Amino acid sequence: MLKRIDTLDYLRGFALVGIIFINIYQMVPYFFDPSATDLLSIMDRNIRTFINNAVYQRFYTIFSFLFGIGFYLFITRARARGEKANILFVRRLIVLFVIGFIHHQFQPGEALVLYSILGFLLLPLYRLKSRVNFGIAIVLWIPALWLGAIGSTIVMFILGLAVGQSRVFENIHQHKKIFRIMQVLSLLLIPLALWAQEQIISHTGYVDIGMTVGGLVIDVFYVTTLTLLLERTSVQKWLMPLNKLGRMALTNYLMQTVIILSLNAVFDLENNVFYMTLASIAAGILIFQIVLSSIWLKKFMMGPMELLWRIGTYGKIPDQYKRTSKV
């Protein structure tokens, strides 16, 4: 079995951390009094402001980028094993659509259905060179903004494919200078990006477009910074919980919905709690998932939904996944 790229698992885990803080308040409406001036209300507004600037529509973009990289790795490795890569990937998308369709009944804002449909666009692009795909992503970026989440997802899919073809994450040490330049440039551009975001939203009312414009620069900073930090062994150890969370990304993404809706049903949270209460619950869910993922992965190579996805893709348990010990 080909070696996993650990950095991608860390990034998936990092993306899941951000996604739950958005999903929880989209699934559970919170109490909000705009005229309140007490300390709790002020704290709540500040937390929401931070989430809107640092998290909202930031982490789904990272997830889309990682999907593009994952597509390249899946096709390339399947071909290296002599398998019918395109057919397998189509099956993979169909299974993802079924999982996403079921999930959509409980969480209408979920991303899996969209990913499974737009994923077909990547198949003809695989044969193109990385520079060509990178150019396509850049050219499409501005017009794609008008398509909202769909346009943003398409662009990040293609960008992820281009980065995968460049094998940047397979040879991070050789590309550290590029990562450092992108990190510094994105950091310097964050104030401008947030200003542009505010201008677009306030003058046009197009929230999705504004957040996408503001978010891309922040996403670049997040990804480059975390990737560079992970070049240090000590950081890898400290952030290992993110790796465990990311290795079971599909399972944990679906589990978050189950837990959030269950807690809401049991404790009647809807419109009865501040957002910071929901944020605290989200943090607790993440801790629970990290512990559970760590325990699970000591015995199994992947999460239960990841295994189901692979069985649906291959029609059986692939030989390289039958062993329970890590490779």
Side-chain angles (χ1 to χ4, degrees):
M1 180 179 177
L2 294 174
K3 184 180 179 181
R4 294 182 67 93
I5 301 176
D6 284 337
T7 301
L8 298 180
D9 286 325
Y10 281 99
L11 289 171
R12 290 188 189 98
F14 178 65
L16 278 175
V17 169
I19 286 172
I20 191 173
F21 286 99
I22 302 302
N23 281 351
I24 194 167
Y25 84 68
Q26 290 181 337
M27 286 188 279
V28 184
Y30 54 86
F31 173 77
F32 174 58
D33 181 1
S35 62
T37 58
D38 59 280
L39 180 60
L40 284 178
S41 296
I42 294 173
M43 290 175 58
D44 197 58
R45 282 197 290 271
N46 289 336
I47 290 173
R48 288 200 315 275
T49 298
F50 171 78
I51 293 295
N52 285 335
N53 285 325
V55 180
Y56 184 63
Q57 286 197 354
R58 310 316 192 206
F59 289 82
Y60 271 118
T61 308
I62 295 176
F63 229 65
S64 301
F65 172 71
L66 294 172
F67 186 93
I69 297 177
F71 160 76
Y72 167 77
L73 293 174
F74 180 89
I75 294 291
T76 301
R77 292 176 174 183
R79 288 187 172 186
R81 294 192 296 266
E83 298 169 336
K84 296 179 179 179
N86 286 9
I87 293 177
L88 288 176
F89 187 70
V90 168
R91 290 179 183 171
R92 185 175 175 84
L93 290 178
I94 292 173
V95 175
L96 185 65
F97 177 84
V98 173
I99 295 172
F101 181 79
I102 296 172
H103 186 223
H104 181 79
Q105 309 311 306
F106 303 93
Q107 214 274 72
E110 71 95 44
L112 302 182
V113 169
L114 181 63
Y115 280 21
S116 64
I117 295 172
L118 297 181
F120 285 94
L121 298 176
L122 292 172
L123 286 170
L125 298 177
Y126 180 83
R127 295 182 179 277
L128 302 179
K129 294 182 178 180
S130 60
R131 292 181 181 179
V132 176
N133 281 323
F134 184 77
I136 291 174
I138 297 300
V139 170
L140 289 180
W141 185 68
I142 293 179
L145 291 176
W146 298 98
L147 295 176
I150 293 176
S152 174
T153 300
I154 291 173
V155 169
M156 296 311 295
F157 274 10
I158 299 173
L159 187 60
L161 169 59
V163 171
Q165 290 173 317
S166 301
R167 307 188 73 174
V168 171
F169 282 96
E170 296 176 63
N171 302 283
I172 295 173
H173 185 74
Q174 296 179 15
H175 297 89
K176 283 184 69 173
K177 185 176 180 179
I178 296 176
F179 274 99
R180 184 68 68 189
I181 292 173
M182 295 298 291
Q183 179 196 36
V184 173
L185 283 176
S186 59
L187 177 61
L188 294 175
L189 289 173
I190 285 177
L192 178 60
L194 291 177
W195 175 83
Q197 170 185 299
E198 180 60 29
Q199 293 301 305
I200 292 171
I201 294 175
S202 61
H203 287 86
T204 68
Y206 295 135
V207 177
D208 285 346
I209 295 177
M211 296 302 292
T212 301
V213 170
L216 183 61
V217 172
I218 295 175
D219 285 339
V220 172
F221 177 71
Y222 285 163
V223 171
T224 53
T225 299
L226 181 56
T227 300
L228 288 171
L229 286 173
L230 289 170
E231 284 296 283
R232 301 181 180 183
T233 304
S234 58
V235 174
Q236 291 179 18
K237 292 180 179 179
W238 278 102
L239 296 182
M240 184 56 67
L242 288 182
N243 180 278
K244 303 300 183 183
L245 199 65
R247 285 186 60 191
M248 292 175 52
L250 179 60
T251 297
N252 285 322
Y253 176 64
L254 298 173
M255 188 190 300
Q256 287 176 1
T257 297
V258 173
I259 296 174
I260 291 170
L261 294 180
S262 298
L263 290 175
N264 184 41
V266 173
F267 296 104
D268 191 23
L269 302 174
E270 190 168 329
N271 294 316
N272 289 320
V273 295
F274 284 110
Y275 172 71
M276 62 181 175
T277 303
L278 295 181
S280 298
I281 292 173
I285 292 173
L286 286 171
I287 293 173
F288 170 74
Q289 289 189 314
I290 287 171
V291 172
L292 189 62
S293 297
S294 300
I295 294 173
W296 183 275
L297 291 172
K298 286 182 179 180
K299 184 171 181 60
F300 304 102
M301 290 183 62
M302 68 196 74
M305 292 308 301
E306 283 75 14
L307 178 60
L308 179 63
W309 195 10
R310 283 170 170 80
I311 292 174
T313 299
Y314 292 91
K316 61 178 183 178
I317 300 178
D319 293 338
Q320 65 269 30
Y321 296 118
K322 286 183 179 178
R323 287 173 293 175
T324 57
S325 60
K326 290 187 290 184
V327 177

